[in-house]
Amino acid sequence: MESSLWLEEGDTVRARLGVCRRAEGMSTAEVEATLAEAEGYAAEAEAEVRQPSPGRLSFAPAPEDEAADCAARVSEWRRVLALMRAKGWESYESARDETGSQRAADYENWRQSVITRAQEDEQRRRDAVHELDVDLRLDAATGRRIRGLCARYGITPEQLLAQLAGRAIVTGDGTVAVEPFTPS
């Protein structure tokens, strides 16, 4: 799932999912009361956008984000209430709400893909700690010999140098030696 899941026509999916979770088991009257409360918060948030209050905490969400979040909640409470009335439900059950259930499933799939990508990135970082990336400049004669050897054995210069380094040993007198081998 793509990161666009977070935004749905300007509303946040998290706000919509939160409403469905909170509405679980609520009666129609309880949903109506909660909708009225959410509409009050939305009005306050809109007023804050129009005229921010002085001394707003620096770590508080931006007024526009807060207003969008409140509007998403109001929209979702209205959808839940309309669904309950249309279906004649006495209480809300998210399992019977196809739209809410689909959003929750989409969100969970998206969340899992984000977690998987983060784990894969972390594994690549761990693996990269042991890698050595070298930019090597050789004189023309040495470069021709390396390219000739690589062509003969069908390998890249990086593979040949990695094989040489993997077989290198430090002798007792401190010199570096490579036993004869056939590149593969």
Side-chain angles (χ1 to χ4, degrees), residues 26-40:
M26 282 186 165
S27 68
T28 305
E30 290 171 319
V31 170
E32 288 171 342
T34 307
L35 170 59
E37 182 182 339
E39 288 171 335

Side-chain angles (χ1 to χ4, degrees), residues 5 16 46 61 66 73 75 93 143 145 148 150 163 167 175:
L5 177 67
R16 291 180 178 273
E46 278 301 317
E66 187 86 21
R73 282 188 169 85
S75 173
E93 293 178 32
R145 281 196 309 272
C150 291
Q163 290 178 31
R167 290 171 171 77
T175 59

Side-chain angles (χ1 to χ4, degrees), residues 5 13 17 20-21 94 98-111:
L5 177 67
V13 172
L17 292 174
C20 288
R21 285 189 200 109
S94 59
E98 292 178 19
T99 302
S101 296
Q102 186 59 49
R103 283 183 184 145
D106 289 347
Y107 174 77
E108 186 57 29
N109 290 338
W110 175 83
R111 192 180 76 77

Side-chain angles (χ1 to χ4, degrees), residues 2-183:
E2 299 192 14
S3 60
S4 64
L5 177 67
W6 283 101
L7 297 177
E8 182 181 280
E9 301 172 4
D11 299 337
T12 60
V13 172
R14 283 192 307 192
R16 291 180 178 273
L17 292 174
V19 167
C20 288
R21 285 189 200 109
R22 186 169 170 209
E24 189 70 36
M26 282 186 165
S27 68
T28 305
E30 290 171 319
V31 170
E32 288 171 342
T34 307
L35 170 59
E37 182 182 339
E39 288 171 335
Y41 287 132
E44 290 174 14
E46 278 301 317
E48 184 71 20
V49 169
R50 286 190 299 278
Q51 185 168 356
S53 57
R56 185 170 176 83
L57 300 174
S58 62
F59 56 84
E64 295 80 11
D65 295 340
E66 187 86 21
D69 196 52
C70 287
R73 282 188 169 85
V74 166
S75 173
E76 188 65 6
W77 281 115
R78 286 179 181 153
R79 185 193 70 79
V80 166
L81 182 59
L83 175 69
M84 290 176 69
R85 286 179 175 159
K87 300 284 185 174
W89 297 348
E90 291 185 27
S91 65
Y92 177 79
E93 293 178 32
S94 59
R96 295 191 297 176
D97 180 357
E98 292 178 19
T99 302
S101 296
Q102 186 59 49
R103 283 183 184 145
D106 289 347
Y107 174 77
E108 186 57 29
N109 290 338
W110 175 83
R111 192 180 76 77
Q112 284 301 320
S113 72
V114 168
I115 290 170
T116 300
R117 275 182 282 163
Q119 290 170 339
E120 290 168 352
D121 289 347
E122 180 60 29
Q123 186 61 46
R124 276 192 288 279
R125 278 192 292 281
R126 273 192 238 116
D127 293 345
V129 168
H130 302 292
E131 293 178 4
L132 176 63
D133 191 21
V134 177
D135 183 19
L136 183 62
R137 306 284 179 198
L138 302 171
D139 63 84
T142 305
R144 278 193 301 276
R145 281 196 309 272
I146 294 217
R147 281 192 297 279
L149 282 169
C150 291
R152 180 176 178 183
Y153 293 104
I155 59 175
T156 65
E158 291 84 4
Q159 290 170 325
L160 176 64
L161 293 174
Q163 290 178 31
L164 279 169
R167 290 171 171 77
I169 57 168
V170 178
T171 63
D173 62 357
T175 59
V176 178
V178 178
E179 293 289 326
F181 72 98
T182 303

